[in-house]
Amino acid sequence: MHEPLRHLHRQGRPGHGRLRSVPAPDVAALLAELERSEPGHAGHARDAIDRLTGGEPLETLTELTVCEFLWYTLPTQVAGDREAVATALGRLLELGGLGRYAALCSSPLTARILRTYERSGEEAGTAACRRALDATGLLPPDLPELRWSSIMGPEELGAHGACSAALELARVCGEPAVNSAAGREALTRRWLTEPRADLGGDSWLHRVRGERLNRWVLGRGAAWRELAQPFEAHLHAPVPAPAGTFLAALRWLLELGRRPDGIPLPQDRDPARPAPDGSRWSDGELEAARELAEGRMGALRRAGRRLVTTREGRRLLGDRDLLWETASAALLAPAPGEDAFRASAREAALMLLAEGPPPTATASPGWSAAGRDGPGRWTPSWPTSRGAWPPSGCGPAGG
C-alpha cells in the first residue's frame, strides 16, 4: 500500500463488502422518493449510499467519509460510469438536506480527481486524493499521545471519525483555530483526552490504547498470550517511574559523558564500545546501554574518539520521569532490519520494567538474586554478546 493511502481505509464500514446491507429507514425513504422523481439515478444512488453508510442512518455521514468515498472508494472499487454514480449520490444527499455533501459530488475537484484515476492510473489518482484530503483540514493529525494506525480496530476508527467530525463542526462554525496546524492539534487532543458521557465517562484515547494493548496481547499466538496477558491490566494505565534508582548503567554513561574529556573509545577493540574505567557492568551491558543512548534516545554522540553527552542527554539526567518515558519509548522503537526475536526481547524488557522488583528474591533460572547489585535486588541475567537486550543495568532493579 502506498503511503498516500495510509488513512484511506479508516472508513471501515460494513457496506464496503460484497453483500448489500439493508438501508436505514431514512435512507430507504429517500431512495423511494428518488425512484419516483428521478428513476435514472436510483440504481447508482442505492449502490453508492450502501457502500458509504453500510446500512447506518444518513446522520452518521461526515464530510471526510463522503470525500474518501468520492476520491478513493468510487474510482478504485466501483465499476462503470463513476461520474454518473457521483451525480446520483449528490441527488440523494440533496434530497436528504445535506447540501454541502451534495456539492462535493458535483464539484470540479471531484471531477478532476476521477479523471486523474482514469487517465493516469491508480497511483496518480491516490496521490491526488491524498493532496485533496490534506487540504480539507479534516484529517485528525498525529499527536505525541497517539499516532494513528494504518490498520485500525473499531475503537480507533470511532475515535478517528469523532475527531474528524469535531474538526468539521469547528470549521463550519467559523472557529479560526482550525485554520492552523496547532489549532487542529489542540482540538484533536481535547477530543481524544476529555472524558465523554457517550463513552460512559471514558476517553477516546483510553479506549484506543486499551484496544491496541489487547491486540498486542492476543495477536501473536498462545505462547506470547500466556506471557503477556498477566501484564495487560498493569500496562493499560500509565506506568510511573519506579521509586529509587533505575536505568543505572545508562545514567552512569550519561554522567561520564558530561566530563570534559567524555568517554574515551577503545583503540584495540570494537570502536563502538565504550571502555570507561571503574565500571561494575559487563561489556555487553554497557554496549546495550550505549546503543540505546546514542541511537534511539539521542543522549550520546561521537566527538572524535570520545562519546559525549548531548543537550538532550543532560536534560534527561535532570528529569527522572522524562528519562523513564524516553527510555521506554526507545525500547519500543524497532531498529532497522530488526527481526521478530529482538523485537520480542525488547517488549519482554518493558514488561519487566513495568512489573518492578518483586517483594522477595528467590533464585531461579535466568535470574540472579544476589550479586553486583546486592542481595534482594533482582537483575535479569541477559546474554552479554554484542547487541544483547536489555542490559541488566537497564532492568527494573538496575542501580
Side-chain angles (χ1 to χ4, degrees):
M1 182 181 297
H2 301 293
E3 176 60 21
L5 297 183
R6 186 170 73 95
H7 67 282
L8 289 173
H9 296 280
R10 288 177 177 163
Q11 294 181 52
R13 295 182 179 275
H16 284 206
R18 295 184 177 181
L19 296 178
R20 175 167 290 181
S21 57
V22 177
D26 62 336
V27 175
L30 290 172
L31 287 169
E33 183 177 346
L34 189 64
E35 181 74 50
R36 289 192 298 271
S37 61
E38 301 178 66
H41 288 316
H44 285 323
R46 184 181 300 277
D47 183 50
I49 201 65
D50 177 62
R51 289 174 177 271
L52 188 54
T53 66
E56 296 294 322
L58 213 59
E59 65 184 20
T60 61
L61 288 180
T62 65
E63 185 172 337
L64 180 60
T65 58
V66 174
C67 289
E68 288 182 334
F69 172 79
L70 291 170
W71 302 341
Y72 178 72
T73 305
L74 175 59
T76 62
Q77 300 180 22
V78 178
D81 189 340
R82 290 156 182 160
E83 290 192 16
V85 174
T87 299
L89 176 62
R91 293 295 302 125
L92 184 69
L93 296 175
E94 190 74 50
L95 285 175
L98 301 178
R100 279 193 306 114
Y101 298 169
L104 288 168
C105 298
S106 56
S107 70
L109 176 58
T110 295
R112 186 164 63 250
I113 291 173
L114 292 177
R115 285 197 300 272
T116 300
Y117 277 98
E118 184 177 354
R119 296 174 182 176
S120 303
E122 184 171 332
E123 186 171 352
T126 53
C129 166
R130 180 55 188 262
R131 290 192 297 269
L133 286 169
D134 286 342
T136 65
L138 298 174
L139 291 175
D142 289 329
L143 303 174
E145 299 91 333
L146 179 70
R147 292 183 62 83
W148 300 104
S149 301
S150 56
I151 301 176
M152 296 187 179
E155 297 288 2
E156 192 169 354
L157 282 167
H160 186 267
C163 290
S164 178
L167 291 169
E168 178 185 350
L169 181 61
R171 191 190 64 185
V172 170
C173 292
E175 293 186 20
V178 295
N179 295 326
S180 69
R184 290 190 291 273
E185 286 182 9
L187 179 57
T188 300
R189 179 175 290 108
R190 187 168 77 244
W191 207 256
L192 279 173
T193 58
E194 287 184 352
R196 300 186 53 79
D198 57 335
L199 299 179
D202 206 353
S203 71
W204 278 117
L205 182 61
H206 189 257
R207 289 204 168 195
V208 172
R209 286 176 171 172
E211 179 178 66
R212 289 182 176 182
L213 180 60
N214 184 254
R215 188 166 57 196
W216 175 75
V217 168
L218 300 179
R220 292 159 66 176
W224 178 262
R225 183 164 60 250
E226 183 178 354
L227 172 67
Q229 203 153 26
F231 292 89
E232 183 173 6
H234 187 44
L235 292 174
H236 191 46
V239 179
T245 303
F246 58 90
L247 300 172
L250 177 63
R251 286 172 176 271
W252 190 70
L253 283 178
L254 295 182
E255 291 286 2
L256 284 182
R258 295 175 66 180
R259 300 184 308 183
D261 56 347
I263 305 171
L265 292 171
Q267 301 292 329
D268 56 346
R269 294 187 301 167
D270 184 342
R273 295 191 183 189
D277 296 328
S279 166
R280 59 193 178 100
W281 293 280
S282 70
D283 281 356
E285 291 165 342
L286 289 175
E287 162 59 8
R290 191 280 313 164
E291 186 179 281
L292 179 69
E294 188 182 359
R296 293 184 282 264
M297 292 179 67
L300 287 175
R301 65 175 177 84
R302 306 281 180 101
R305 298 292 306 176
R306 298 176 298 125
L307 287 173
V308 297
T309 301
T310 64
R311 179 181 300 178
E312 176 66 11
R314 293 192 295 272
R315 189 167 75 99
L316 293 174
L317 279 174
D319 187 332
R320 67 192 313 274
D321 291 331
L322 183 62
L323 177 63
W324 172 257
E325 201 173 298
T326 304
S328 299
L331 276 167
L332 276 174
E338 183 176 58
D339 58 31
F341 176 80
R342 285 177 62 86
S344 296
R346 285 189 296 97
E347 292 170 350
L350 278 178
M351 287 188 277
L352 292 169
L353 286 169
E355 183 182 39
T360 59
T362 305
S364 61
W367 295 79
S368 59
R372 284 193 301 263
D373 295 323
R377 307 192 65 186
W378 281 45
T379 303
S381 302
W382 299 94
T384 56
S385 60
R386 175 170 173 78
W389 196 257
S392 63
C394 290

